Amino acid sequence: MHKSEYNQIVFHPPSGFWCLYNTYRGKFVRLTAEEKEVFDAYPSQLPDDALLAKLTECGALTDENEIDALRKECAVGVNQPNSLFLVICPTMDCNFACPYCVETGQRRHGIMDDETAYALKRFFDRMLDEKKVRSVCVLWYGGEPLLALPRMVDLGKHFLAACWARDIFYYSNITTNGYLLDENTINALDSIGVSFYRITLDGPAETHDKSRMLVNGKGTYDQIMRGVKELCKRKHQVEIRCNVSKRNADKLLPLEEEVNRLKEENNWIYLHYARMLVYRDVPDALSSIAMTEEEFSQFCTSKKDNKYDIRPRHKSVPCRACLPYSYCIDEDGDIYKCNAFLSQKDHVMGNVKDLPDSKSLDNSPEAEKIKSRAFPEDKECLSCKMLPQCLGSCPVSKPGEKRCHPLKNSLEQYILQLADAAQAQ
């Protein structure tokens, strides 16, 4: 056995212990000064059975070539289609005018028409029968998908019936600004199996309404929160996404307190922090308030209850775009490999009206390019302790736009937080 490449160890003065974290296993242990001395000397000094069990269980000592293991897992992942994942955009229109929107300059009026919807249903059925998948996940996206609610219901009922007829597990979620959520809308979404909601709130009302407003400039917080509370009554899974910038980073406590109050009624709601990113066509003024990776990393570790906690690895590829049988379809029926390419016609792989088969899509240059980037080969990623958690940068990001794990620059601080929590127990 040898020491893992993914060990990080730091001294915790309040407890007097050395705290060892292994990012490959996602596990944490405390070592006495004597145990650390033995570990440091390994293999010239061998641990006793109790210490050996502790070190192997957390992954600090291993017989694996971890880089090779990660690479092999990724190779298996990109070549084993056992589920169908569809991102469906029934409209690219939106009722909001967020200044940092990723789709700035790409907004289009119009909703998926009957011809395209019929073709999409045929395409869906063909995908199910070609590969005989075991599960299907549909993510409703946009634009703002709820502007096209009747079309969503029309498509969703077909998807559900097709999966039930084939005894295929069906799961559906939605990314929405939440403004149009009310009792009737949620009833309609319940009828098509939507069970997970991703909704953005950029702080309490005063802060949120300055960055996420209607096209007429009106604030949106109160209306969104009414919908969130209705979801909580029904025990739906709700992710509150908060885009963090220098402008709102110190103003988020009231939102955190509101989410904690809602958690008392619905334990399936949580707050997820994301770094506000500046994309193409976004006003230059936003660049001055965007956090660097280092600043956002420090922000994340300042939050004791955050969704960037390191956990045992649960994926074999960095994102779903690397998987076969994973597509994004817009209101015109154009098929993309990733929603980051929406409205960029040079990335279109086909159209549902032509009823393409999965082989032609998965062997397309677009798909092959992303698959080839599924595992990083640059030295920085391969030597990074966070590689087992993120599996490299986003495979569709451009050179210089690498999106690293938020804890990359504050791992030691995070480990000390784990030690504080362990001491408090």
Side-chain angles (χ1 to χ4, degrees):
M1 302 185 78
H2 57 86
K3 292 179 182 177
S4 168
E5 297 290 331
Y6 301 106
N7 295 327
Q8 184 75 39
I9 192 165
V10 59
F11 183 65
H12 184 239
S15 66
F17 282 94
W18 287 88
C19 302
L20 173 63
Y21 205 99
N22 181 266
T23 60
Y24 187 88
R25 294 280 184 87
K27 294 188 176 181
F28 163 86
V29 294
R30 296 190 297 178
L31 302 177
T32 65
E34 293 77 13
E35 289 174 328
K36 179 181 181 294
E37 192 173 312
V38 172
F39 178 65
D40 287 343
Y42 185 88
S44 60
Q45 185 175 351
L46 298 178
D48 60 27
D49 289 346
L51 179 57
L52 179 63
K54 181 190 291 189
L55 294 172
T56 54
E57 195 276 332
C58 81
L61 293 181
T62 181
D63 57 3
E64 278 191 288
N65 182 320
E66 293 156 311
I67 287 284
D68 282 352
L70 289 172
R71 187 179 283 110
K72 288 176 182 176
E73 284 182 23
C74 185
V76 170
V78 299
N79 289 297
Q80 281 196 352
N82 52 26
S83 62
L84 173 64
F85 183 79
L86 292 181
V87 178
I88 299 178
C89 307
T91 181
M92 288 299 293
D93 201 359
C94 188
N95 50 346
F96 276 27
C98 309
Y100 58 74
C101 180
V102 62
E103 290 159 6
T104 298
Q106 302 175 68
R107 188 171 299 173
R108 298 192 300 271
H109 299 301
I111 292 172
M112 183 181 292
D113 60 26
D114 291 343
E115 179 187 3
T116 306
Y118 174 72
L120 175 53
K121 294 171 187 176
R122 293 181 64 214
F123 174 78
F124 183 86
D125 292 348
R126 179 170 190 170
M127 294 296 105
L128 297 188
D129 294 332
E130 269 189 9
K131 296 289 186 178
K132 300 189 184 302
V133 297
R134 297 193 293 271
S135 65
V136 170
C137 179
V138 169
L139 164 60
W140 301 102
Y141 193 74
E144 170 47 49
L146 292 181
L147 290 172
L149 181 61
R151 179 57 68 201
M152 288 177 58
V153 172
D154 167 55
L155 291 169
K157 288 184 175 179
H158 178 89
F159 298 158
L160 270 173
C163 288
W164 286 342
R166 296 165 175 81
D167 195 26
I168 294 172
F169 175 78
Y170 181 82
Y171 175 74
S172 181
N173 55 44
I174 184 171
T175 296
T176 171
N177 59 41
Y179 190 79
L180 297 175
L181 286 173
D182 58 23
E183 186 175 355
N184 290 334
T185 298
I186 296 171
N187 286 339
L189 296 175
D190 285 347
S191 74
I192 58 171
V194 176
S195 58
F196 178 92
Y197 291 73
R198 181 175 290 107
I199 301 169
T200 301
L201 288 169
D202 284 356
E206 181 180 357
T207 304
H208 169 93
D209 287 344
K210 292 178 181 178
S211 64
R212 297 189 64 79
M213 67 289 288
L214 294 173
V215 292
N216 63 9
K218 181 182 176 182
T220 60
Y221 181 90
D222 291 339
Q223 178 70 15
I224 295 170
M225 188 53 70
R226 281 191 283 272
V228 169
K229 290 177 179 178
E230 180 64 27
L231 290 171
C232 287
K233 289 180 183 176
R234 305 185 189 209
K235 310 301 182 186
H236 280 302
Q237 289 182 287
V238 182
E239 175 191 296
I240 301 296
R241 176 189 171 100
C242 182
N243 295 307
V244 182
S245 68
K246 296 176 184 177
R247 180 180 291 167
N248 69 350
D250 61 348
K251 300 178 176 67
L252 300 178
L253 181 59
L255 175 62
E256 295 165 1
E257 292 173 341
E258 180 69 27
V259 172
N260 285 334
R261 283 193 291 272
L262 291 171
K263 194 181 290 288
E264 294 176 3
E265 179 178 12
N266 177 26
N267 197 45
W268 294 102
I269 184 172
Y270 64 88
L271 184 59
H272 170 89
Y273 299 110
R275 182 165 67 103
M276 188 198 79
L277 299 175
V278 179
Y279 291 92
R280 58 188 180 277
D281 300 322
V282 168
D284 292 338
L286 289 176
S287 298
S288 64
I289 66 168
M291 285 182 162
T292 64
E293 283 190 349
E294 290 79 9
E295 289 170 333
F296 183 63
S297 182
Q298 289 299 316
F299 168 85
C300 287
T301 48
S302 73
K303 302 295 182 181
K304 293 183 178 180
D305 181 20
N306 68 74
K307 297 309 294 184
Y308 285 111
D309 293 354
I310 302 174
R311 292 159 289 180
R313 290 182 299 109
H314 62 285
K315 59 182 182 179
S316 60
V317 292
C319 80
R320 292 186 184 273
C322 301
L323 298 172
Y325 234 30
S326 178
Y327 315 112
C328 179
I329 300 167
D330 69 11
E331 85 283 13
D332 294 327
D334 285 334
I335 304 171
Y336 304 83
K337 197 62 179 144
C338 176
N339 53 281
F341 295 143
L342 282 167
S343 301
Q344 299 177 52
K345 296 300 182 181
D346 54 330
H347 289 285
V348 173
M349 300 191 299
N351 190 286
V352 294
K353 296 172 187 174
D354 299 321
L355 201 61
D357 58 56
S358 60
K359 184 176 181 179
S360 65
L361 292 173
D362 293 332
N363 292 334
S364 68
E366 281 292 307
E368 289 293 336
K369 185 189 301 182
I370 292 177
K371 186 166 70 171
S372 70
R373 297 175 180 173
F375 192 81
E377 296 299 340
D378 63 281
K379 293 181 180 179
E380 181 183 359
C381 284
L382 292 177
S383 62
C384 180
K385 291 187 184 296
M386 299 307 299
L387 178 62
Q389 295 294 323
C390 70
L391 297 178
S393 180
C394 169
V396 303
S397 60
K398 297 177 182 178
E401 293 184 356
K402 186 177 293 185
R403 303 174 194 173
C404 296
H405 194 288
L407 293 182
K408 173 183 176 181
N409 297 293
S410 55
L411 182 57
E412 289 191 2
Q413 184 179 345
Y414 175 76
I415 295 171
L416 290 175
Q417 287 183 348
L418 292 179
D420 288 341
Q423 186 180 20
Q425 291 179 351

